[in-house]
């Protein structure tokens, strides 16, 4: 018995999302025993895949000033995970002062700030209050599917507009 392997076209990767070759319960030789007939075209992908954006650049209004006097304004914040929100709750500083939650949380999700080698909660706690407020709002925006606005319509004139939904404290739902 001759065994042959079916090759997929180079332009159509086989993935679980398209259903190709899943589940693999039949041996490869079974394809040689399939009835002959016209080739069946694979269904076209109904919608192009959208990559999930996990990091977001920002620029602080004032900037963090390090020990040498260098001002660091541009940075990157990543999306928060459940772990990022849970681990700070075990921190003694947060247990003694719940307002410290945002400092610890931001220290976990800011991945870059200027030319600093590392960003941690010690950096965040030494930021200006306006920069901390900016980062808290930015955190809310990127973790609420990119924005905290909702489209609404005026009940009187039916004019469509957006409203800002922000207002909850960082780390709370």
């Amino acid at each position: 018995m001759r065994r042959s392997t079916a090759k997929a076209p180079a332009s159509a990767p086989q993935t679980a999302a398209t259903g190709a070759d899943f589940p693999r319960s039949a041996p490869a030789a079974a394809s040689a025993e399939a009835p002959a007939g016209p080739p069946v075209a694979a269904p076209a992908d109904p919608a192009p895949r959208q990559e999930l954006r996990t990091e977001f650049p920002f620029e602080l209004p004032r900037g963090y000033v390090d020990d040498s006097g260098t001002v660091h304004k541009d940075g990157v914040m990543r999306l928060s995970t459940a772990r990022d929100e849970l681990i700070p709750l075990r921190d003694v500083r947060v247990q003694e002062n719940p307002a410290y939650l945002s400092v610890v949380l931001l220290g976990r999700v800011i991945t870059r700030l200027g030319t600093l080698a590392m960003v941690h909660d010690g950096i965040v706690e030494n930021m200006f209050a306006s920069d901390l407020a900016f980062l808290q709002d930015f955190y809310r925006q990127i973790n609420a599917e990119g924005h905290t606005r909702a489209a609404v319509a005026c009940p009187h004139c039916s004019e469509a507009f957006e409203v800002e939904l922000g207002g909850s404290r960082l780390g709370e739902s």
Side-chain angles (χ1 to χ4, degrees):
M1 177 176 194
R2 245 176 113 188
R3 289 191 175 191
S4 64
T5 58
K7 291 187 179 179
S11 63
Q14 295 179 350
T15 64
T18 60
D21 287 348
F22 291 96
R24 291 182 184 248
S25 58
S31 63
E33 299 168 10
V40 178
D45 196 6
R49 292 190 186 158
Q50 186 176 14
E51 285 190 36
L52 177 64
R53 188 171 167 200
T54 60
E55 292 191 325
F56 300 84
F58 63 83
E59 184 174 323
L60 295 174
R62 297 200 189 276
Y64 169 73
V65 181
D66 66 16
D67 295 335
S68 66
T70 304
V71 178
H72 304 272
K73 290 183 99 172
D74 62 317
V76 175
M77 184 182 294
R78 67 173 172 79
L79 288 177
S80 178
T81 64
R83 181 182 204 101
D84 291 323
E85 294 208 358
L86 292 171
I87 286 182
L89 297 175
R90 290 188 242 155
D91 192 304
V92 175
R93 299 167 295 182
V94 173
Q95 291 173 352
E96 291 175 359
N97 182 2
Y100 205 77
L101 174 63
S102 65
V103 171
V104 177
L105 187 53
L106 289 170
R108 293 182 60 85
V109 298
I110 298 172
T111 58
R112 185 180 64 75
L113 183 59
T115 58
L116 296 174
M118 190 169 99
V119 182
H120 50 80
D121 53 10
I123 301 282
V124 177
E125 71 183 358
N126 287 308
M127 289 183 174
F128 295 112
S130 59
D131 289 336
L132 180 61
F134 168 83
L135 289 169
Q136 289 171 332
D137 286 341
F138 190 67
Y139 176 92
R140 271 188 228 104
Q141 288 176 3
I142 69 171
N143 285 288
E145 299 207 22
H147 59 82
T148 57
R149 293 177 302 278
V152 295
C154 175
H156 301 290
C157 67
S158 299
E159 179 82 24
F161 60 97
E162 287 186 342
V163 293
E164 185 69 33
L165 299 176
S168 64
R169 289 186 15 207
L170 185 62
E172 295 181 353
S173 346

